[in-house]
Amino acid sequence: VLSLQLLHMSVFSQSFSPCGRFLAAGNNYGEIAVFSLSAALSPDASEGSQKPILNFTAHDGPVFTLLSTDTHLLSAGKGEISAWSWAELIKKVSPINSRNTSTQLVTSLEIPEINAMIINPKDNSLIAGGGDNNIHIMDMETGIFKSVLKGHTDYIHCLCFKEREGEILSGGEDGAVRIWGHTEIPLCRFQTCSGMAGQECTCPQFGKWISCLATDSDWMLCGGGPLEAVFHQDLIMSVGEGPYVSHCLHGGTVKAQIPCTPSSLNTLALNLKNTEHRVMTVGGSSHQIDVFTNFSSRTFSLSF
């Protein structure tokens, strides 16, 4: 049974600990695994160093997204958001079996799936988007939802925050990117993948949906279809249907394609919290998570 579970496992989400020395990953079985990057990157690392220091079932269904705060790991599944104490996780204490209050249910929503979460640092609110086509904003101190942003006509897949302007960007399966200010009415709407932005922006083989967003306040970049992307210096690094990480220039030229273990990729993350453990990690249709120390070749793989 275990071998079949590993064979059909997919990693959907990742998040680094506040100290940057640990990585949490969520899969399609509702499990969260916590890995020690310091142990895996050590000169004395063994095969056991690439296994989780802790593995527990967090949700009944897939863990669609993970997000770290200064003290907690937030995980989201089908309408449920939970908070797990990083201090307890690092101690290798299972939050399921522990008598300590290391987990608390932040909220439960009637949403088919929660695909994206971000923190608004200006007011310490949690912003979540998912399968009800809406963006829900919750006060982190009280756990009370204070507003709902409505405008998308299909599932929301990605969120990001423009810190300088204090604006929220959202993208979804309707092919639109919306910019939200301080009201419940979007400031702007871009129909990026329906043909209005030009034929080069369409993804007819995958549909018109937007799956990733990034901004530095001066510019915005979005990816369509099953694509996840991050930015490092002058490079755009993206993953998707193929078994590789693509290095692209801002003009769209593919500079390199780096082979990966999974046959298709769902999640890509850069650890910029700790210079000693600065790595890129990639997960997808496999129980293994590839680790890159120099971005040009896979160094090793972590394994559920």
Side-chain angles (χ1 to χ4, degrees), residues 72-73 151 178 208 242 251 255:
H72 285 79
L73 173 70
R178 294 178 182 269
K208 60 185 180 180
K255 187 176 181 181

Side-chain angles (χ1 to χ4, degrees), residues 228-230 232 235-239 245-247 268 270 280 295:
E228 177 83 7
V230 298
H232 179 68
L235 278 179
I236 301 169
M237 288 176 281
S238 65
V239 296
V245 177
S246 295
H247 292 190
L268 182 154
L270 280 177
M280 177 175 71
F295 306 136

Side-chain angles (χ1 to χ4, degrees), residues 123-160:
D123 62 4
N124 195 34
S125 61
L126 176 68
I127 305 164
D132 67 346
N133 313 339
N134 299 325
I135 299 168
H136 300 264
I137 301 179
M138 186 190 76
D139 188 310
M140 290 284 283
E141 296 295 328
T142 64
I144 297 173
F145 283 96
K146 54 186 182 181
S147 59
V148 178
L149 308 182
K150 299 182 178 181
H152 282 281
T153 58
D154 212 332
Y155 278 35
I156 295 170
H157 279 278
C158 48
L159 297 166
C160 67

Side-chain angles (χ1 to χ4, degrees), residues 24-195:
N27 67 23
N28 57 319
Y29 296 115
E31 298 172 335
I32 294 177
V34 180
F35 300 91
S36 171
L37 292 176
S38 53
L41 292 168
S42 167
D44 303 322
S46 63
E47 186 176 343
S49 305
Q50 298 166 4
K51 293 288 187 179
I53 63 169
L54 182 65
N55 192 336
F56 63 95
T57 300
H59 297 276
D60 291 335
V63 182
F64 292 112
T65 184
L66 291 170
L67 175 67
S68 286
T69 70
D70 291 339
T71 57
H72 285 79
L73 173 70
L74 304 182
S75 64
K78 294 181 179 179
E80 182 181 85
I81 301 174
S82 295
W84 316 89
S85 166
W86 267 116
E88 296 295 323
L89 296 178
I90 289 171
K91 292 177 186 175
K92 308 179 185 179
V93 177
S94 172
I96 303 302
N97 300 322
S98 173
R99 294 181 180 178
N100 298 327
T101 309
S102 56
T103 176
Q104 62 185 44
L105 179 66
V106 174
T107 186
S108 183
L109 297 168
E110 294 183 4
I111 299 178
E113 58 189 56
I114 299 173
N115 295 315
M117 295 186 295
I118 58 173
I119 297 289
N120 181 345
K122 293 186 179 296
D123 62 4
N124 195 34
S125 61
L126 176 68
I127 305 164
D132 67 346
N133 313 339
N134 299 325
I135 299 168
H136 300 264
I137 301 179
M138 186 190 76
D139 188 310
M140 290 284 283
E141 296 295 328
T142 64
I144 297 173
F145 283 96
K146 54 186 182 181
S147 59
V148 178
L149 308 182
K150 299 182 178 181
H152 282 281
T153 58
D154 212 332
Y155 278 35
I156 295 170
H157 279 278
C158 48
L159 297 166
C160 67
F161 188 70
K162 294 177 69 178
E163 292 192 18
R164 189 175 65 200
E165 293 84 358
E167 296 171 350
I168 302 165
L169 275 66
S170 60
E173 290 193 25
D174 55 3
V177 174
R178 294 178 182 269
I179 301 177
W180 309 83
H182 302 287
T183 69
E184 297 182 9
I185 301 173
L187 298 174
C188 188
R189 175 178 179 271
F190 298 98
Q191 193 69 26
T192 56
C193 290
S194 66

